[in-house]
Amino acid sequence: MSRLRTRMAAGAVLGVTALVLGAVTSAGSAAASGAKSTSYYKVERTCHSAARVNHATCYALRLVPASKFTAGANARPASMNAAAGPAGGYSPAQLAKAYGVNASGSTSITVGIVDAFDDPTAKADLNHFDAQYGLPAETSSSFKKVSQTGSTSTFPTGTSWATEITLDLDAVRGLCHKCKIVLVEANSSSFSDLSAAVNQAVAQGAKVISNSYGGQESGHDSTLESRYNHKGVVITASTGDDGYFSWDHQNDAGTSPGVANIPSTLNTVVAVGGTSLQLNDNGTRSSEAVWNENGHLDVTGNNLSSAMGATGGGCSTLYNAQSWQANVANYANTGCGSKRLAADISALADPYTGYDIYGTTGLTGWATFGGTSLSSPLIAAMFALAGGAHGVDYPSQTIYKNFKSTPKDFYDVTEGGNGFCGGSSPASCKARFTGNVGPNNFFGVQVDCGFKGTTSTLTNKTRACDAATG
C-alpha cells in the first residue's frame, strides 16, 4: 500500500457499506459547458507558516482572487467551473458524492474539534452554514463549545485561529449532518495546551477527534506520544501544507527543517495527507492526485518564488511504525527503515480545488479554503459516519487491513509526489541542476526522498514522497 500519496480516499475504512467509494468514474471532461475566462488566485495562510518549538501552527489555507501578475498567483482549474459553493468552491453535497458517503446517515458519534484560542461566533457561523445547505439549526445537543478545562463560560483569549475553527466545523458538519460536535478550545498553540484539549475532548465523550495543526517534530520529547494516546478513539492529525519535510519554504527564501510534522508522525494517530480533487460536470470524481501546487520539478514554485503548498509528510525521526504499516508490501521502499511514515490516508486539501466555508470572526462571509486542515476533519467525519473505531485500539490499523482485503473500496492515487521532484523520476530531477548534483545536494537539506540525505546519490526508494500503484 503506497502510503503517503496512496490517498485511500477514506471510503469504507471500517467496512460500512454506506461509506464504500467504489470504482473511480471514467475520467471525462471536467470543464463545465460554456467557455469561461481564466481566473487567477493566490493562497493566503491563516496562521504563521512556521511554529515555535513545542508549539503548533494551523494549516488552513484561503484562496483569494488575484491578477495574473500577482506574486504567487496561479490559474484555477477549469473543473472548478462546476463547483456549487457560494464562493466558487466545492459544496458539501459535491464532496459527499465524490467520496461516496451518505452525509445524512444516522450516527451517535461525537466528533471533537481541537483548536487553539477562541472563536466567539463559532455557533452562529455554523448555523449560517447549515442554513445555506438546508441543514437543521444547531442545538445544545448537536453542538457544544468548551475550554480545555471543560468550562462552558470561560474561554481562551485571542481569535487568531478562529478561521481554522470555522473550517474544521464546516468540514465535519458538511459531511456528517447528524454528528454531535464538541469544540474544545486550547488556551494557546502550545502542545501542552493542545494535548490537554485532546484529553478534554475524550472526557466530553468524543470518539473521533480532529487536529488540524502541527509543528516540527524535532525538539519534542517522547512523552508527547502518550498525550495523544487514547485507545479506541479515532484521532486524526494533519500532515502539513509544505510538502515532504516542509521543503517548499526553499522557494520563498526560507529553509526546509528536514523533518516531518508532529502530531501526524505519532504512531497513535491517523495521519491525514492531502489531494487535489477534480470533478466532472455531474459531480462525480474525474481524478484525484497528490496535492503539490509547486508542480513537477518545482517549476511553478521556483518560477513564482513562492511556497505554493503541498501535502506534508515524511519519515519520523522519533517514532517507530506500527506493525500494520511496517508490514505492508514495499514499505522498505519508503526508506524509513523501522520508523513511522506520515500519512495513512488522504483527502481534499488543495485550495485551488477547495471547499467553501462561512465565518464572521477572522473571516468575513464566504470563502474557499484548503490545506490539510480541511482533509483532517473530512476524514474525521467519515470515520464518524462509519461508527468510530469499533473497538480497535488504534483505528489506523483498520485502514491498512481494509485496503488489503477490499482495495476496491479505496481510491488509489497514483499520480504526483509531495517532494521537490513532484513525482518526476529522481534521475530527471537530478539532471535539472548544474553538475547533476540533484536538489538535496544543491540545497544542503533533504527536499526529496529520491536521494540519500544531502548527497546526489539516488536511493531507488521513493515511496515516502511519490505516488505509486498499490
Side-chain angles (χ1 to χ4, degrees):
M1 175 170 61
S2 137
R3 297 287 331 179
L4 226 206
R5 258 27 347 116
T6 302
R7 221 253 101 172
M8 306 163 297
V13 288
L14 300 176
V16 178
T17 302
L19 296 187
V20 173
L21 293 179
V24 63
T25 57
S26 58
S29 170
S33 32
K36 289 191 176 183
S37 59
T38 301
S39 298
Y40 288 85
Y41 294 81
K42 67 174 297 183
V43 173
E44 290 183 349
R45 298 175 187 269
T46 297
C47 295
H48 296 296
S49 60
R52 292 177 289 153
V53 174
N54 294 318
H55 281 251
T57 187
C58 78
Y59 294 134
L61 300 179
R62 181 181 182 179
L63 196 67
V64 296
S67 75
K68 180 178 180 179
F69 305 103
T70 301
N74 211 353
R76 200 172 196 180
S79 64
M80 297 307 293
N81 291 340
Y90 290 141
S91 69
Q94 286 179 304
L95 292 193
K97 185 172 184 178
Y99 286 125
V101 302
N102 177 11
S104 60
S106 179
T107 179
S108 61
I109 294 291
T110 295
V111 178
I113 301 295
V114 171
D115 282 306
F117 311 113
D118 184 34
D119 181 359
T121 60
K123 185 175 182 179
D125 293 344
L126 184 56
N127 270 324
H128 189 101
F129 177 90
D130 293 342
Q132 171 70 26
Y133 295 111
L135 303 179
E138 302 298 329
T139 66
S140 58
S141 61
S142 71
F143 175 80
K144 183 179 183 181
K145 185 176 89 167
V146 301
S147 71
Q148 71 180 56
T149 63
S151 174
T152 58
S153 59
T154 302
F155 298 101
T157 59
T159 59
S160 59
W161 281 34
T163 302
E164 173 64 58
I165 292 172
T166 298
L167 175 58
D168 293 342
L169 294 177
D170 289 0
V172 170
R173 180 58 76 222
L175 278 198
C176 193
H177 300 168
K178 297 180 180 178
C179 293
K180 296 178 180 179
I181 297 176
V182 56
L183 168 62
V184 185
E185 296 183 336
N187 291 339
S188 75
S189 61
S190 73
F191 278 106
S192 176
D193 285 335
L194 288 165
S195 59
V198 171
N199 292 337
Q200 183 59 233
V202 174
Q204 293 289 330
K207 297 300 181 184
V208 178
I209 303 172
S210 177
N211 302 275
S212 293
Y213 57 82
Q216 296 178 19
E217 184 185 69
S218 54
H220 294 284
D221 61 57
S222 58
T223 64
L224 186 62
E225 187 172 31
S226 65
R227 289 179 260 155
Y228 287 82
N229 188 352
H230 293 276
K231 293 182 178 180
V233 177
V234 182
I235 301 177
T236 64
S238 303
T239 59
D241 295 343
D242 290 293
Y244 172 81
F245 286 168
S246 297
W247 70 269
D248 78 351
H249 288 298
Q250 301 293 151
N251 286 331
D252 58 6
T255 302
S256 166
V259 293
N261 292 312
I262 205 167
S264 69
T265 55
L266 300 175
N267 60 28
T268 57
V269 309
V270 177
V272 185
T275 63
S276 296
L277 174 66
Q278 308 291 337
L279 301 184
N280 294 306
D281 288 350
N282 63 2
T284 55
R285 177 168 45 196
S286 170
S287 65
E288 198 159 7
V290 176
W291 168 47
N292 186 347
E293 216 65 49
N294 299 286
H296 292 295
L297 304 176
D298 191 36
V299 170
T300 303
N302 181 66
N303 287 344
L304 297 177
S305 298
S306 176
M308 299 295 290
T311 179
C315 306
S316 172
T317 60
L318 300 177
Y319 306 105
N320 290 328
Q322 297 275 27
S323 59
W324 50 84
Q325 183 184 56
N327 291 336
V328 299
N330 293 316
Y331 192 74
N333 289 331
T334 64
C336 292
S338 63
K339 296 300 183 183
R340 163 87 155 125
L341 173 63
D344 299 303
I345 193 166
S346 298
L348 172 62
D350 184 354
Y352 282 89
T353 63
Y355 179 71
D356 283 356
I357 66 172
Y358 177 86
T360 57
T361 301
L363 173 67
T364 303
W366 289 93
T368 302
F369 271 76
T372 53
S373 275
L374 171 59
S375 52
S376 177
L378 289 179
I379 293 297
M382 294 186 212
F383 261 108
L385 286 171
H390 287 266
V392 177
D393 284 351
Y394 299 109
S396 59
Q397 179 179 8
T398 313
I399 298 172
Y400 291 88
K401 179 180 178 181
N402 286 351
F403 182 74
K404 184 177 181 179
S405 62
T406 55
K408 65 180 179 61
D409 290 348
F410 296 80
Y411 182 82
D412 191 3
V413 168
T414 60
E415 179 184 351
N418 71 333
F420 178 94
C421 301
S424 297
S425 72
S428 64
C429 188
K430 180 180 179 181
R432 185 181 174 200
F433 293 84
T434 302
N436 215 30
V437 298
N440 291 6
N441 189 313
F442 179 83
F443 291 116
V445 67
Q446 196 165 12
V447 298
D448 194 89
C449 63
F451 306 87
K452 294 181 179 179
T454 57
T455 72
S456 56
T457 304
L458 303 183
T459 65
N460 297 317
K461 297 179 179 180
T462 60
R463 288 201 171 220
C465 64
D466 290 344
T469 301

